[in-house]
Amino acid sequence: MNKSSQLRKLLERPGVIRLVGAHNALGAKLVERAGFEGVWAGGLGISASYALPDASIVSMSQYLEVARQMTEAVSIPIVSDFDTGYGNANNVIYMVKMFEAAGIAGVEALIAGWGQKEALKRARAYVDAGADAILIHSKKSTPDEVVEFIKHFKNCRPVVLVPTIYSMVTIKELKELKVKMVIYANQSLRAAVKAMEDVFEEIKLRN
């Protein structure tokens, strides 16, 4: 079974699926070893691994290479952040083909900031086009915006959330909303950076 098929099977099973972000193959391996169902190859994490901001600076080829290394390292699905799509519709079509060929299980672009009406319009268009799930994101510090979307969307397809900013929301609350997948996008990167800083300080103090 390829990883796209694995991801579809996960979407069909009961309960919430949890993906954790990684920025390289080692991180992906640690996510798998911890028992999570999949890996999020996120834009912020991969950009940060190049010491660059998450501002569409890293190229599609660079993202693709990191995602390919991840998927070769693990047996669980990799879902990749496609940033802005790297151009127009033709770029997106090419990008999807390249990521599929590399074994990436899924993709979904993030925040556009154009409001509920546009979000629902796009989500329904994705459903009509055959999308397996819909990722809805928000820059708000509370989950209110995504909760409103979910109520209007009425579970036409499994819903995926990335509660990085509104991290106070619980898995129990998300289950009640019938959210299917939760992505912990960059917690591992933040923890790794803090751990390295602490180790470096300890080394300085001992010498």
Side-chain angles (χ1 to χ4, degrees):
M1 184 185 297
N2 64 34
K3 289 176 183 175
S4 294
S5 298
Q6 287 180 40
L7 185 60
R8 290 189 180 99
K9 288 289 184 184
L10 286 171
L11 292 171
E12 291 170 0
R13 81 178 196 187
V16 177
I17 305 162
R18 296 169 301 166
L19 273 62
V20 175
H23 60 281
N24 58 24
L26 175 60
K29 194 69 179 175
L30 292 172
V31 171
E32 180 180 43
R33 187 182 294 177
F36 291 99
E37 294 94 336
V39 178
W40 171 249
L44 187 148
I46 294 174
S47 294
S49 73
Y50 286 95
L52 292 169
D54 185 17
S56 303
I57 298 170
V58 176
S59 70
M60 187 200 80
S61 297
Q62 288 172 301
Y63 274 115
L64 177 59
E65 178 57 22
V66 176
R68 184 190 60 76
Q69 291 170 1
M70 287 188 196
T71 199
E72 288 181 358
V74 299
S75 60
I76 56 178
I78 305 286
V79 176
S80 182
D81 176 5
F82 269 7
D83 194 56
T84 59
Y86 306 104
N88 59 28
N90 291 325
N91 296 96
V92 174
I93 291 167
Y94 175 73
M95 174 188 63
V96 170
K97 288 180 179 178
M98 292 297 100
F99 276 73
E100 282 183 338
I104 306 306
V107 301
E108 182 59 85
L110 294 185
I111 310 163
W114 287 4
Q116 288 286 338
K117 185 176 180 180
E118 181 66 18
L120 287 163
K121 176 184 174 183
R122 291 184 179 201
R124 287 164 181 152
Y126 296 151
V127 169
D128 292 342
D132 296 299
I134 299 296
L135 192 157
I136 183 67
H137 202 26
S138 171
K139 290 182 178 178
K140 302 290 185 182
S141 60
T142 67
D144 298 351
E145 205 169 46
V146 296
V147 169
E148 183 182 352
F149 172 88
I150 291 167
K151 288 178 178 176
H152 289 294
F153 187 58
K154 298 179 180 178
N155 292 301
C156 296
R157 282 292 189 279
V159 172
V160 183
L161 295 186
V162 189
T164 305
I165 299 174
Y166 50 95
S167 57
M168 75 294 292
V169 70
T170 66
I171 284 289
K172 181 181 177 183
E173 291 170 329
L174 296 178
K175 283 181 178 177
E176 290 171 356
L177 288 168
K178 295 184 169 55
V179 171
K180 189 61 197 175
M181 181 185 292
V182 180
I183 295 173
Y184 300 94
N186 51 54
Q187 284 86 344
S188 59
L189 175 64
R190 295 175 189 276
V193 170
K194 182 63 168 65
M196 286 190 286
E197 288 175 339
D198 290 346
V199 168
F200 299 155
E201 285 301 314
E202 182 69 20
I203 291 170
K204 283 167 62 179
L205 290 173
R206 291 187 178 187
N207 291 278

